[in-house]
Amino acid sequence: EIKTPYKQLWVRNLKLSDAGVYTCEYDSHKVRTSLHIFQLTISLDGHFLQNEVPELILMQNSSGRLPELSITLFDSNNNRITPELQNKSRQKYIMSLKKLEVMDSGTWVCQVNSDSPLINQNISFDVKVLGFQNPDLERKYATVDSTVILSWHLNSQKIKWKEGFTGQLNWKQQESANTHELLDFNVTAQGQLHETKKSSSFLFEIPERKPESTIEVKLPKVHFNHSGQYQCQLEYKGRHAWSKIELVVMKVSANPAGPLSRGANMTLTCQVSGPLPPNAYLRWERVNGTKMDIKTSKQHEVKLEVNISAAGLWSCHLIEDSDRKISLPYHVEKAPVWIKYVIIGASVGGSLLAFALGCLCIISGISWQRRRQRAKRMAQARQYLLENKTCHCQQ
């Protein structure tokens, strides 16, 4: 296309084959312009899941000798990235980038430099990374009978990703345990998430109101066996990304469970359902108590017992990095004084009853023994009379 009045030549939709020397002739004048063309392509059309590694291919073409290029990348946050060259030739450069995270979405810049000929060219390209904004492994703590909401935040709305993707939420108690499917989800044509509940044996809810592009499950009353790994898995064109939440549940118990009598002891037990990180531990303490009423677990202990003799409000804390994550109180009641006398009376009465029963058994045994001996003597006498009568008849 010729642009007037300066006779500009516009070459649109450039291809590598368009490289070369362009000559403008006017009367006896000739002006030559060398056109050097770069082509940058990115794998998967720039649509990635988190933790995937993009591949860039930079190709060049020119009418003369191809220069050796220096390539530098800048991500969407303007951080300098040094790519790893997989293949390098004067015409084709194949580069691998780092594993992508969701915050890498945006416009990247490929900076191409050469000293001879002098080249300083910036080529921009878009990268979209679909994934979870959660940490790689999130740990959530809850107490028995409490309500907990597990959330996974997708960035699909943020990057305006409206192409179809699907996913599912799975749960298993341990790494080697069976997997239970809780729900499936997919994106609609309008870019909205649609969820379908799968499990009927697991008591959970799907909240109706929640932030955009968020997968949530609500456990209205947490049980101790609801602990374990909850993994949200995302699928797009046969590729997968996932995010895990480890749910750790705490429970407390007492032995004996009844009121604490004066002079008696009770054992309080605090237990969590899964292993704790090295910087986390359990601690028992009595509210408004002394330092003597505090006991702390050792590293990697998931069960902590404390023997107490003082009634009051005791509390078990789960502490991580000096931060109390959860606390579960247990109120130890003091037994009334009359219960002590009832217990003493019951003990004395029980002893007397046992003594009376013992005496009764002895008397009954003696009486039974006497009856048995009397019956034995009568049988002997009867036998004796029979023998005497027999002898009289013979005479």
Side-chain angles (χ1 to χ4, degrees):
E1 179 181 350
I2 304 296
K3 290 286 186 179
T4 56
Y6 301 105
K7 299 298 186 289
Q8 294 175 332
L9 176 64
W10 286 60
V11 184
R12 302 182 184 277
N13 299 322
L14 288 173
K15 301 182 294 293
L16 284 173
S17 58
D18 292 328
V21 177
Y22 289 76
T23 303
C24 180
E25 296 184 4
Y26 181 72
D27 291 338
S28 60
H29 301 283
K30 291 183 179 181
V31 179
R32 291 180 174 85
T33 300
S34 177
L35 180 61
H36 194 123
I37 295 181
F38 296 99
Q39 182 184 53
L40 180 68
T41 57
I42 183 170
S43 58
L44 302 175
D45 295 326
H47 288 71
F48 301 95
L49 300 180
Q50 63 184 112
N51 295 323
E52 289 186 331
V53 179
E55 184 180 81
L56 286 178
I57 299 177
L58 178 67
M59 300 185 69
Q60 63 172 336
N61 193 13
S62 176
S63 59
R65 183 174 178 269
L66 295 175
E68 184 172 353
L69 303 176
S70 173
I71 302 173
T72 306
L73 296 176
F74 295 90
D75 64 13
S76 58
N77 300 309
N78 205 30
N79 296 318
R80 186 188 183 104
I81 304 294
T82 302
E84 180 181 350
L85 287 176
Q86 302 293 336
N87 181 38
K88 177 183 175 182
S89 66
R90 290 291 180 101
Q91 185 180 12
K92 188 176 184 179
Y93 294 77
I94 301 178
M95 299 162 283
S96 292
L97 306 185
K98 63 173 184 175
K99 285 186 178 181
L100 293 176
E101 301 176 11
V102 292
M103 66 277 298
D104 293 324
S105 295
T107 301
W108 290 47
V109 174
C110 178
Q111 190 178 83
V112 182
N113 294 283
S114 173
D115 294 331
S116 179
L118 184 61
I119 298 174
N120 185 6
Q121 184 73 31
N122 289 336
I123 306 172
S124 61
F125 58 98
D126 291 331
V127 174
K128 289 188 176 183
V129 186
L130 179 63
F132 302 94
Q133 295 173 303
N134 300 55
D136 289 338
L137 177 59
E138 186 177 352
R139 184 175 285 105
K140 199 172 185 69
Y141 299 110
T143 57
V144 169
D145 294 334
S146 66
T147 298
V148 64
I149 296 179
L150 306 178
S151 300
W152 288 264
H153 305 284
L154 286 165
N155 66 332
S156 57
Q157 289 288 335
K158 186 176 181 180
I159 61 175
K160 298 181 180 179
W161 189 305
K162 293 187 178 181
E163 299 182 50
F165 63 85
T166 61
Q168 60 181 205
L169 177 61
N170 302 321
W171 164 71
K172 55 183 178 181
Q173 279 200 277
Q174 298 175 351
E175 191 69 35
S176 59
N178 294 330
T179 300
H180 303 275
E181 292 186 18
L182 299 186
L183 61 88
D184 288 343
F185 61 89
N186 65 330
V187 66
T188 63
Q190 293 75 28
Q192 302 298 320
L193 282 172
H194 177 70
E195 300 156 326
T196 304
K197 191 172 181 179
K198 296 284 288 186
S199 174
S200 58
S201 59
F202 191 80
L203 299 178
F204 73 95
E205 301 174 3
I206 303 176
E208 296 182 0
R209 294 184 179 180
K210 51 193 171 183
E212 292 289 341
S213 302
T214 300
I215 305 298
E216 284 188 352
V217 291
K218 178 181 178 182
L219 309 180
K221 194 171 184 180
V222 177
H223 297 169
F224 195 70
N225 60 357
H226 286 168
S227 61
Q229 296 179 359
Y230 292 78
Q231 177 176 304
C232 194
Q233 180 176 287
L234 183 66
E235 180 178 353
Y236 177 70
K237 293 186 176 179
R239 294 133 51 199
H240 298 84
W242 53 84
S243 176
K244 292 182 181 180
I245 295 180
E246 182 82 18
L247 179 62
V248 180
V249 182
M250 174 194 284
K251 67 177 181 179
V252 297
S253 59
N255 184 26
L260 183 62
S261 302
R262 185 177 181 181
N265 290 329
M266 178 183 289
T267 300
L268 298 180
T269 303
C270 180
Q271 185 176 357
V272 291
S273 58
L276 297 175
N279 57 342
Y281 59 92
L282 300 173
R283 185 171 72 190
W284 270 114
E285 67 179 15
R286 184 163 68 99
V287 179
N288 298 326
T290 65
K291 291 183 179 180
M292 300 296 293
D293 297 325
I294 297 177
K295 186 175 181 180
T296 302
S297 66
K298 298 178 182 179
Q299 192 176 22
H300 301 304
E301 278 188 339
V302 297
K303 186 177 181 180
L304 179 62
E305 293 182 346
V306 59
N307 293 320
I308 66 169
S309 58
L313 183 61
W314 291 79
S315 187
C316 181
H317 309 290
L318 195 156
I319 302 173
E320 183 178 351
D321 289 330
S322 301
D323 181 26
R324 289 186 183 181
K325 294 297 183 180
I326 51 173
S327 297
L328 191 56
Y330 190 91
H331 188 262
V332 179
E333 295 183 359
K334 184 178 180 181
V337 178
W338 61 268
I339 291 184
K340 177 181 178 181
Y341 294 110
V342 169
I343 295 175
I344 295 174
S347 301
V348 173
S351 300
L352 292 175
L353 180 61
F355 178 75
L357 289 174
C359 293
L360 182 62
C361 290
I362 293 173
I363 294 172
S364 299
I366 294 173
S367 176
W368 177 78
Q369 185 69 21
R370 287 178 177 176
R371 286 197 301 270
R372 185 179 178 185
Q373 291 177 357
R374 189 182 301 113
K376 186 176 180 181
R377 287 195 298 270
M378 291 178 66
Q380 290 176 352
R382 190 180 298 109
Q383 182 68 28
Y384 175 75
L385 291 174
L386 290 174
E387 290 177 354
N388 288 341
K389 288 181 181 179
T390 303
C391 293
H392 180 72
C393 291
Q394 289 177 352
Q395 290 177 355

